[in-house]
Amino acid sequence: MTTIKTGNGVSAEQAAIEQQLTDRVLASFENTPDPRLKQLMQALARHLHAFIREVRLTEAEWNTAIEFLTAAGHITDEKRQEFILLSDVLGASMMTIAVNNEAVGNATEATVFGPFFTQDAPEIPLGGDIAGDAHGQPCWVEGTVTDTGGTPVPNARIEVWEADEDGFYDVQYGDSRVAGRARLYTDADGNYRFWALTPTPYPIPHDGPVGRMLEAVRRSPVRASHLHFMVTAENLRTLVTHIFVEGDPQLAIGDSVFGVKDSLIKRFEQQAPGTPTPDGRDLGDRSWARTRFDIVLAPENT
Ligand code: BEZ
Ligand code: FE
């Protein structure tokens, strides 16, 4: 049987030695001129020391942690950010979002940003198609953008991005394709509509240290199917979120980055081939889906 070490059971003398070290480290930050930096550094040291003491960290485990962080640094470049991935799978990204996006009335909930947003997505007209050459089932997405008082928000900027049916974003192909992403603007009544692809599940990049860590703890790298949104409008809080697909089996298994919120799970209604489309688009013998996502933006600075 494996012995689990804990901090309980150390002698009073040993506990005092450990506490003295923590106190010395905390005191070393006392002269930090920036009060926020001082708070951050002291809290970090306090929690880190408490962790090491609680689990009775071995020197071999300390080494493994250093090797892990070193590997995360080596695989990180301008396209691959292993440290954000680590934050994501530890729930630290979602906790930061929770802390910074307090619920305001009926405002739409935020979720994780992810690494696949790009600034340069093409603008499409209302009713346009974000798919480009990306493969997947066509999906009609429509809704309104309002403030928390129900007033429509005209000219809200909506940026949307998603993986193709093979589970890859355009930027993961290593060529210069732009597909599965676009930006568009709400009309005078706050309405929007566009064609996208019905989202499908895909794994976060798991060929690096974070993937090996997930494997060691028997966790799946797969994210629940989703479509990303970033919505920006004057005097309102920018919303970074996704919508998830009701009935997606991955919702029950769990989302690898803890991004799912019940309010963001939407019905994607399947439409048989030949069902007339909302804008008269001829999809031939292809099935399609449709969903509605009404977006409520919180006031700025809330
Ligand atoms: C994504 O949604 O694309 C994503 C989010 C977090 C980590 C990796 C991918
Ligand atoms: Fe994503």
Side-chain angles (χ1 to χ4, degrees):
M1 203 177 86
T2 315
T3 311
I4 306 289
K5 297 177 170 200
T6 72
N8 302 332
V10 298
S11 68
E13 195 185 13
Q14 174 64 21
I17 291 169
E18 293 170 7
Q19 188 57 45
Q20 263 175 25
L21 174 59
T22 301
D23 291 344
R24 278 211 306 281
V25 175
L26 294 183
S28 76
F29 293 112
E30 269 311 309
N31 296 331
T32 308
D34 179 339
R36 177 64 174 163
L37 180 60
K38 176 175 162 181
Q39 181 191 19
L40 293 172
M41 295 312 298
Q42 289 187 325
L44 175 63
R46 199 165 44 245
H47 288 280
L48 187 59
H49 284 220
F51 165 76
I52 294 167
R53 293 173 70 184
E54 179 191 318
V55 303
R56 311 311 294 167
L57 191 73
T58 68
E59 286 168 295
E61 288 162 346
W62 179 89
N63 253 313
T64 302
I66 297 297
E67 278 164 16
F68 175 86
L69 292 172
T70 306
H74 284 158
I75 203 171
T76 294
D77 59 21
E78 58 294 336
K79 289 219 168 112
R80 172 76 177 258
Q81 231 302 356
E82 198 73 0
F83 291 101
I84 295 184
L85 218 49
L86 177 60
S87 163
D88 293 341
V89 301
L90 291 177
S93 305
M94 280 307 290
M95 187 56 85
T96 307
I97 290 163
V99 165
N100 286 281
N101 293 269
E102 273 182 47
V104 180
N106 56 343
T108 304
E109 292 188 280
T111 189
V112 66
F113 194 44
F116 299 123
F117 173 78
T118 65
Q119 299 284 353
D120 47 14
E123 182 172 342
I124 55 164
L126 284 167
D129 192 345
I130 78 161
D133 289 335
H135 295 292
Q137 182 191 52
C139 180
W140 178 256
V141 184
E142 64 188 348
T144 58
V145 179
T146 60
D147 65 18
T148 48
T151 305
V153 182
N155 206 35
R157 177 186 170 105
I158 301 179
E159 289 166 279
V160 279
W161 65 105
E162 65 175 334
D164 63 18
E165 68 180 0
D166 295 320
F168 296 108
Y169 286 80
D170 52 1
V171 291
Q172 293 179 284
Y173 282 99
D175 52 25
S176 54
R177 76 182 73 182
V178 177
R181 66 178 71 242
R183 80 191 132 92
L184 64 155
Y185 295 85
T186 53
D187 67 16
D189 299 317
N191 295 316
Y192 74 88
R193 53 203 166 270
F194 61 89
W195 283 100
L197 302 172
T198 307
T200 45
Y202 67 88
I204 63 170
H206 58 110
D207 55 343
V210 169
R212 290 195 287 280
M213 188 265 275
L214 290 179
E215 206 178 305
V217 299
R218 304 291 184 271
R219 267 177 55 182
S220 162
V222 177
R223 290 221 57 201
S225 313
H226 61 274
L227 171 63
H228 291 263
F229 281 73
M230 177 152 74
V231 187
T232 319
E234 234 174 273
N235 302 325
L236 293 165
R237 184 160 88 188
T238 294
L239 173 69
V240 174
T241 196
H242 344 314
I243 51 174
F244 296 90
V245 180
E246 192 179 272
D248 174 8
Q250 195 63 36
L251 289 172
I253 299 167
D255 179 46
S256 54
V257 301
F258 308 100
V260 180
K261 291 177 172 172
D262 286 350
S263 68
L264 300 175
I265 301 173
K266 302 293 169 192
R267 183 163 306 148
F268 282 67
E269 290 166 15
Q270 283 294 321
Q271 312 291 318
T275 308
T277 55
D279 61 349
R281 179 179 179 185
D282 181 3
L283 289 169
D285 59 359
R286 300 172 76 188
S287 68
W288 56 285
R290 66 183 303 163
T291 191
R292 183 169 185 91
F293 179 35
D294 291 321
I295 297 166
V296 180
L297 298 181
E300 207 169 31
N301 305 319
T302 51

